[in-house]
Structure formats: C-alpha cells, structure tokens
Amino acid sequence: MKAFKKVIAVVLALMMVLALVACGSSSSGDTADTAPAATGSSDAAPASDGTTKTAVGEYSESNPYKLTFTYVEFYEQDAAERQAVVDALNEYMIPNYNIEVEFYPLSYTEFMTNFGTSIMAYDEYDVIPVFYSTVSSWINAEAMVDLAPYMDTADGQKIVAALGQETATVSSINGFQYGLPAMKESVELGGLWMRADICDELGLTEKYDLDKSDGTYTGTIYNWSVAGDIFAQVKAAHPEMTPLYMYNSDQSPRFYFVDPLVDRFGVLDWQADHDSTTVVNEFETESFRNMCHLLADWYDKGYIFGDAATDTQGTATMIKAGNTFSYATAIKPGFLAEANASNNTDGYAMYFGDQVEGGMASHSCAFFGFGIADSSKDPEMAFKFLSALYTDPVVMNYWQYGIEGVDYQVLDDGTAYFADGVDNSNFKYYQNTGWAGGNQFISYVWNDGTKDAGYWDALAAHNNWTYYSPAFGFMWDSSDYTTYITALNTALETYRAALSTGSVGSANVDATIDKLNDALYAAGLQEVIDAKQAQLDAWLADNGPTATPQSNLDLIATGEYIPN
Amino acid sequence: MSNNGKEIKSGGKTEALKRYWPLYLMFLPGAIYLFINNYIPMGGLIVAFKSYSAKKGIWGSAWCGLDNFKFLFSTPDAWVITRNTLLYNLAFILTTTVVGIIFAIFICDCISKRAQKIYQSAILFPYLMSSVVLGYIVYAFLSNSTGIVNNTLLSEPINWYATPNAWPFILVFVNLWKGVGYGCLIYISTINGIDTALYEAATLDGATKWQQIKNVTLPELKPTVITLTLMSIGRVFYSDFGLFYQVTRNSGMIYSTTNVIDTYVYRGLMEQNNVGMSAAAGFYQSICGFILVLLANQIVRKISSENALL
Amino acid sequence: MKKVDAYQIVTNIIMILWTIIIIAPFLLLFMSSITEENVLVANGYSFFPAKFSIASYAYIIRSGATILKSYAVSIGVTAVGTLVSVILSAMMAYPLSLRNLPGRRVLMFLVFFTMLFSGGIVPSYIMWSNTFHIKDTIFAQLLPNLLLSAWNVMMIRTYFSTSIPDALYEAAEIDGASQIRIFRIIALPLGKPILVTIGTFAGLGYWNDWTNGLYYISKNKDLYNVQNLLNQMVQNIQYLATSTSSNANAAAASLPATGIQMAIAFVAILPIMLIFPFFQKYYAKGIAVGAVKG
C-alpha cells in the first residue's frame, strides 16, 4: 500500500501542476485582456467624423469591429444564403455602425445544452441569446455584461424610447440588467384550438360563434366547464377520438394565473388577490387544486390523451394524425392562421379561463432575449449592435427575412412576403423568430395571407388586455438556493405530470397534492419562500409595486367581456 | 510460476532498463494521450471547491470550501439516488457477467459456424441503437394507449411510466439487452484463446460438458471476469445517463426507482450550468468509486494475488 | 468432434430466442420508418402497420447532400479512429502485461486512474478548444475521449498476460529477439481475437458518438456525423415541443415527424449492420495455440 500512496501523491501533484500550466495560461490570459473592457467607460458616444471610439478601441469603415452575433435558429436555413445575407447586412453595417457582423446560429438543442458550457468556458462572443431561467447562473459566473450603465447612453435611450422604460429594463436580477427581452405578445391568454369540421358537425360552431373569431381576442371568454361539455359531445359522437390532447408540458397557465416569480417555488396568488405581494405556495392554492380536479375528472371520462403524462410529440403531429379534436394553447392575434398551417387542418380558437385576462409577470416578458457576453472584446460595440436589433428596422429585416428582392419582397401595403418563386417549402432564408429576440415590431409584418400592416399593433395591443403583477420587473436571484431548487424540482416533477395532465385520477387528486406539498416542504420550500419574500420586499421598497397602466384598466373596463 | 503475467528474464535493474527501454517507448504514445485527454482536465476538479467564475477561469475563481457538495447531501433525495445508483450497478454487473459468460460459452460451443456468426453479430447490434431511439422503442412497447404490451399482452392495461416498482426489472432487462454484448465478446475472445490442448486432455479423461466448463473454461475466464468486475466497481457511482433519462422518458412519477446520481445532477445543474456543483458531484462519484475499487482490489489480492488489478 | 446432442439443441434454442429478442426492436424500428406518419401517431408502432409509406426515405433522399456528407465524416472518422485506437491500445497494453517490467504497477495505476476520475466537461472543453484549437476541425470528432480508453487497454493487457503462453516468450527471448519483435511476431498475432473485439468496440464508440460533435463542432456543420444529425433532429423536437414558450411549441411543428426520425435512425445503423458479417471471420476463429507452440 505504501507504494500506492506514493503513486497517488505523484499523480495528484502532477495533475495539478500540469493543469495549471495548460488551463491556467489560457484563462488567465483572457481575464487580463477583457478586464478593462468590462469596466470601461460606457458613455463614449459615436463621433460624427465616421469613427467610433470606445474605451477599448477605435473603429472606422476601413477598420470595423468584428462582432459575433449568436442567435437561435429555429428553422433550418441554407448556409450559403445565410452568408449572402450577412454580406449584404455588412454593406449596411460597416458604413453606418463601423461593425462587421458574423452570424453564429445555434440550434435550439445547442442553445439548451452545450452553449452553456461554451459560455462557462468564456469563449468569445458578443451578442448572445439568453433564456430567463438559465441566465442567473451565467450572471453568477460573471459571464454576462451588466447593461444597466449602458442604458443611460444615447443608444440606450433609443432603446428605452422604443420599448418603454419598464420593458427595456425588465430583464434584471438584483439590479443587474442582463439583457433585453424579445418584443412579442407576453400575455398568456389561452384556450383551445379545436378541429373545425367536428365543431361544424356537432353544431358547436353556431352555438359559440366560432367562425366569427379569427383568433384575435375580442373579449369573449368561457368557463372551462364549457369545454367539458364540448368534450362530452365529441366523445359521444366520435368515441375513437381523443377530445383533448395534452402532453408532458405544463399547461397550468391556461387554467389560472399566478406570478411564478421565475420558478414557481413561492408565487403571488394573483387569482386570489391581484395586489398581493405575499409569497405563497402555488400548490396549496385553490386555483391549482381546482385545475387538478377538473383535469382528473376529464381524464377519468376519457377526454384526455391516455399518454399525456409522458408524451412529447407535440400538438401538430397529433392533430395531423387525425384522431385528436383539440389541444390547449396560448392564443394571440394571428394564432389561428399559423396553427391551421402547421396542423395542416382547419380549426377554431376559443378562449377559456376563470378570470377575465391573464396577468403580466416579469418572466413572461423576459422569457427570451439578447444579452452581451462578458467575453466580448468590446461590449460597447456589442451594445451598439444590440441597440440596432431593437431600433433599426434595416438590421431586423436583414436578420429576419434576408435580402429584399431575393429572399423576400415588400408588398404594396407595406407588409413583406417571400419573393416571387419562393414559398414555405423552398425558402433559403427566413428566420421568423422575432419572438425569441430583437424588436420584431420595427420589422416588416410577414404577410402570409392572413395579416396586414397593422399586425404588430394588434400583437402589442394584445398585451394591453392584462393586469400587471405587482412584482412585474422583479426577478428573483436563486443562485444561493441551487441546492433547494434542485430538490424542489425533483419533488415537483415526481407529481407534476400526473396532476397537470389529469392522469392521476379524480380519486387520488387530494392525496397526491398532499404528497406533493409534503415533498416540497421536505425539500426546503419554506426557506425558498422566505428568501424570495425578503428579496421581493427589498425590491418593493426600492421600486414600489408595479401598477397596471391606466390604459389597460380602461380597455379591460370597456371590453366586451362575457362571462360564460 | 503462475501463468499470469510474463516474466522478463531476471537480472539487475539497470540491465533490465537497458534492455527493455523500447517497452517504455511503446507505452509512451498512449500515455501522452491519456495525459492530455484525462489528466490535464482532471486538474479542473478543483472547481468543486470553488465558486466558479467564467471570467476568472478555473484557477482565478474564489474558493468556497465544501459549499458545492451540499446540494448532493442536504437533500431528502440523497439517500434515494445513492441507493438507486448502487443497486442498479450491482444488478447490472451481476446480470451482464453471468449472462455474458453463459452466452459466450453457448456461442463458442455452437457447432454450426453460420449460427455462431449470427448470434455473435446479433449480440452486438444493440450497441448501435442510440439511447434516444431506444427510448422510443421501449415506449412503443410500454406506452399506455398504443403500447404493444398493453394492447396485445395484457387485458388490464398498466400505466408503466407511473409504476415505479416495474422499473428495476425493465431497466435491468434493457441494460442486459443493450450491454451484454461487450462482456460476452470479450469472453468469447478469451475462450477462443484457451489452449485447445486443455480441452483435449479433459475429453480424454472422460470429462462431461459441465466438467469441462467448470474445470477449464471458467478458470481460464477468471482473470478476465475479475478485471472487468474490478473496473466496473470503480464506476459504480456513475450510471448510463441515456438509460435512466431517455428510456424512462424522464417520467417524474417513477423517480423513486429511476432517479440516479447522474440524472439528479443533470436535472438540477446542467440547465443551470453550475460548473462547481457538477464538478463536486463528479468528484464525489469518483472518490467513492476509487475507494471501493481499492478495497475490492485488496480483497482480490488476498484471495488470488495474481489476478489483482494493481 | 462435437455432435448434435441435447446440449447443442438447448443452447441453440436459447440463443435463437435471444437473437429474436435483439432483432425485434430493430424490426420495429424499420417497420415504423415505413409506416404512414398518421397511422404511426394514431396507432403507435406496430410490427404490422396498417398503411405503408416510403415518404420518410423520400425525405432523406431529398436532403441527400447533408446526409452523404455526414456519412463520409462518420465512416472516415470511424476508420481512422479505430485503427489508431487499436494500435495505441495494444502498444500500451503489452508492457503492462509483462509482470517483471520495472515500474509496471505505477504505469498500471496511471492508466487505471483515468477510468475513475474525470475533470468534467468544462475543463476538457477549455483545453481542447483553447489550447489545442480543435473546434470546427475534423480532429474534434477524432480526438476527445474516444481515441484511447483505459478500459480497453486493461482488457487487452489481461488477455496478453493470460492467454499467451509463457513458453512462446521464453523461446523468443532465447532466440535473442528484441521486445519490439516479440510484440510484433507473438503478441499481436496471438492477440488477434481481443484486438478485433476491442477494435469493434472502439469503432462502435466512434460510430455512435454525438457528444464530440455537439461540443466541438459549432460553426462548420459540414463536420457533423450521422449521429449528430439524428440527435440534433430528435432533441430539437423534444426541447421545442416541451418548452413553456408557445412560440417554441409552434416551431416544433415544422420539424420532421416521428417516421423520419425512425428512418434516419435506421439509416444510421444500416451500414454497420451490413459490415458486421464481413468482420465475423476475424472473431470466430479460435486460435490453435497448441499448434503454434509445437
């Protein structure tokens, strides 16, 4: 054994020394390079003589800043055409911004898996996509640039002007602004997409005026019990059909609204009291229990897809297969046309819910967005580009739709569509992902035949049908509670799928909810709730509760809201 | 002299070194690779004791003591995941070894060369199936509404993905299905390497088939089995992530029997990119495996020293 | 010689049953890849699908260039990687199999230790991408983790030390052969069964790997191998469909459906299934050590 100990000691020592040499050299080098950039002056405005000076360097048309723009590509693009778009964009970027852009597309899988590793390794990036639930660990690892100081610059003020103060700064944790949110509909008004032919057949279409709704919210909203009646009719007429497709994805926002304060462990029970700032356990609320009972009842009656708790196929696949009647979904203006296209089936949209409208919480607004990596060689230049994504339609149009005349054309009414000879099946470049980052409201409306130039206004107006959570703008910093969150997630996941798809069965709902809560408290839920409450109280002391804008209140007051 | 391990002709140490330096040279390329691929990154294990900062890097990050280890131990799941990991691995080692040896003997004894080839290929096929696809296939058998098992074999459907007690059997079987080939093939090559004279002698003595297996085949397989088992013990705190994550479809309802250290860490940390805590988990798994393997090795050394790994 | 007796019958029946158990899922995989998509979703996978369709394979053929490129990467990397891996492993295992080699136990420990401890993905990633700059090169598919496994070295070493008779070495030593020569003329040929076996596993390791591509191939997707393509597709669907963003859910709708995933999985497996029989002759041959000795 003596020999072993010696060997072990030698191995360990060797390991340390050599790792120091190999890893240490590169990472310490990076730190030295970027430290000044991160703390550099942030109010260096672009000069008028065509050069841009920052704390790090000076850039001109002949010496542009080379910038990596990383984003998530949800649809496959042609690589050569993407490069052509980049080249075209640079012809605009270099003279106007002294920036030469390189696109770095990530697949969604890469974004959710290995991109985090790359960030942790401090690989060099400039503008990067951010996701609200992972970003706190990136901040914690000092991998993100705090945008707060930059918001006071001229570029920052342009962003504030475009997005509004509250939206522009919503992606902040503990005063650290890590990014800018994607401009999109942020309100989770929801209901059902239902197959049109079955609705027609069963007389549902006339009964609920389904053909009059194009998916745009008009204020008519039904109680979920109505959906139960509809499913009963469908089941009776078509026993072979699944009335409601659900799958292993949490659909609770369709049934009630709470402000989850990022992670659902400790929430504001908005349903019970719109103004409450007391952090409570969501899984003990009446809303949660009611939803579980409703779904379990449906499941027992055979309304819900039998494999809901484990299925991940997604709605379009199931609808196309032809034996599914409906699915629960968020509904926004233009939803119906898009859904019908991807389902390859005509359907109707119908709003359901107990409350008039949903509430607006930080996470729904800050869901996806863009931030700046701390490894950026010049965060000031990166911020300029970020700012362009939110304020310069030319940049957004290039990124989203490609080259005018080649990839798309501008129609007479000011909307855009594929260029002649190009369509959905053969396009080479068409991102259509403004909902995941940037300010799509400044780009062209994509007119797939169902939209007009006023579409962005409609989408923005969709956000007006909402009350704001008093904690809007607050995001809780869970970095000291990773241990708890891991255990809490395990506890929740053990019971969530069965409860939120109804597959637990009516008889077991109450017992299962009790087990869930026991497991959550055993995993430290109370500590997390207390910590969250303390952070929220501190935030409220600084900012005060967020009030719902008067215009929203007026709209809701005048809305043609018809209960049941 | 035992027949395990070849003797170099005795002589002074310097003389041996002079004569056998080419052997060290042979060892070198592989050693360089292992050094680069394995040893250098191992230094990164120190982030287990640090609060990791991407900006400051592995060496610049601040120390944080044992904070990163807390999440593994201060949770009510610590016992469940450790128990599951260990029990599954023991079951896996046992089943793949026993079945692997049996299949290897059967295949080697098969007189039809064609059949032999077919079995041998078949046993390797499962290696080709990625765990994601395997997850789909298992689901095809076990799903509630369309599963082959529920639709054709059972009159009363069972909701498999919500039945924790079924999963130890399912996973041991799936693991056997997928993993028996590795050991089996190694055993086949070992059996093929056995001096045929040994069998001939046994046959002349009138040994039955079973006696041949017991007195010739199994003793000849022993060093291989011990090596494989010792190595498996070193990894006993790790688990095949794909098996426990993809094949179970990450179904929460069966966590009590399917949650292992690797899946727990993945669910808790990978999405969070918590480098420090991931390293802490790996460190814990490695240290425990290391201690176990040293113990096991000592036991082997006591019983039959020539078969000890170290 | 062996004759057909009860033992033969029983063992063959068991092996035939096991072979069926192994083949059945592959058959199911294939059948689902030629089942019409709607039938597949509505009725689940079946050995006897109600409606056939080759649409999935038509889809794969349409995206031909990408698949072909990835095949080229897979095949090339697997061939080169396996060859280098076997050579390196054997060279490493041989000295370890010599009982009296000075320092053998230390070397053994150094090899074994790599099986127990690993630094985790972030340190490895930093080293390979920052120090060796393998990102977006073919070396990314070749070098990290797969080239040499301590596990395989140990298996070869055990085989060398147990299955090759001492007498052969002694004879060679007496003839005055150098160590390298002994390795070449005795250890390598006699070790063929284990080398082929280890080569098979190294090859399968390369063929099945998708993590290297995931981590180290970022901008140059031409270097994706077949598994990278398959996994990317399958995982994109899983991640998008189960996202809490309804926009992401909608994006999942545009991705290839289940049948296509099955078809790609099958296409990824097919070449190896076809190649296996050709390698068979290398395994099955029992080596008549006795004859060599005589």
Side-chain angles (χ1 to χ4, degrees), chain A residues 158-181:
Chain A
K158 269 194 280 174
I159 297 173
V160 171
L163 310 190
Q165 180 70 34
E166 264 165 2
T167 307
T169 57
V170 70
S171 305
S172 305
I173 297 178
N174 271 350
F176 184 107
Q177 187 180 344
Y178 63 82
L180 297 170

Side-chain angles (χ1 to χ4, degrees), chain B residues 3 105 108 186-200 212-213 215-224, chain C residues 159 162-165 190 193 285-291 293:
Chain B
N3 69 337
I105 293 173
C108 288
I186 301 254
Y187 300 135
I188 290 176
S189 60
T190 310
I191 293 174
N192 281 340
I194 295 175
D195 192 339
T196 44
L198 292 173
Y199 287 108
E200 283 156 20
Q212 283 185 30
I213 291 172
N215 298 327
V216 181
T217 315
L218 291 183
E220 291 288 322
L221 280 177
K222 198 170 84 177
T224 311
Chain C
Y159 189 93
T162 55
S163 298
I164 300 178
L190 290 184
K285 219 173 266 168
I287 292 190
V289 175
K293 223 196 277 186

Side-chain angles (χ1 to χ4, degrees), chain A residues 4 7 11 75 104 107-110 113-114 117-118 121 123 185 247 312 316-318 320 332 342 367 435, chain C residues 38 41 105 109-110 125-126 135 214-215 218 221 232 235-236 239-241 244-247 249 253-254:
Chain A
F4 272 133
V7 175
V11 168
Y75 306 91
Y104 179 13
S107 72
Y108 194 57
T109 304
E110 288 177 287
T113 56
N114 58 313
T117 305
S118 183
D123 284 350
E185 78 296 347
Y247 60 111
T312 54
T317 309
M318 291 302 288
K320 278 187 211 152
K332 63 175 180 180
S342 52
F367 204 87
W435 49 270
Chain C
N38 294 344
V41 176
R105 284 182 69 197
F109 183 84
L110 286 175
Y125 177 86
I126 291 175
K135 243 188 146 180
L214 183 66
Y215 282 103
S218 53
K221 299 270 158 70
Q232 185 93 317
Q235 297 206 351
N236 271 342
Y239 279 114
L240 287 172
T244 45
S245 154
S246 45
N247 284 308
N249 297 163
S254 70

Side-chain angles (χ1 to χ4, degrees), chain B residues 56-93:
Chain B
K56 296 182 187 129
I58 292 171
W59 299 97
S61 299
W63 296 97
C64 69
L66 294 174
D67 279 2
N68 288 329
F69 288 84
K70 274 191 203 151
F71 91 107
L72 271 179
F73 301 107
S74 66
T75 103
D77 305 306
W79 157 244
V80 173
I81 56 176
T82 308
R83 177 201 67 187
N84 286 349
T85 309
L86 287 177
L87 287 183
Y88 273 113
N89 273 316
L90 291 182
F92 291 170
I93 294 173

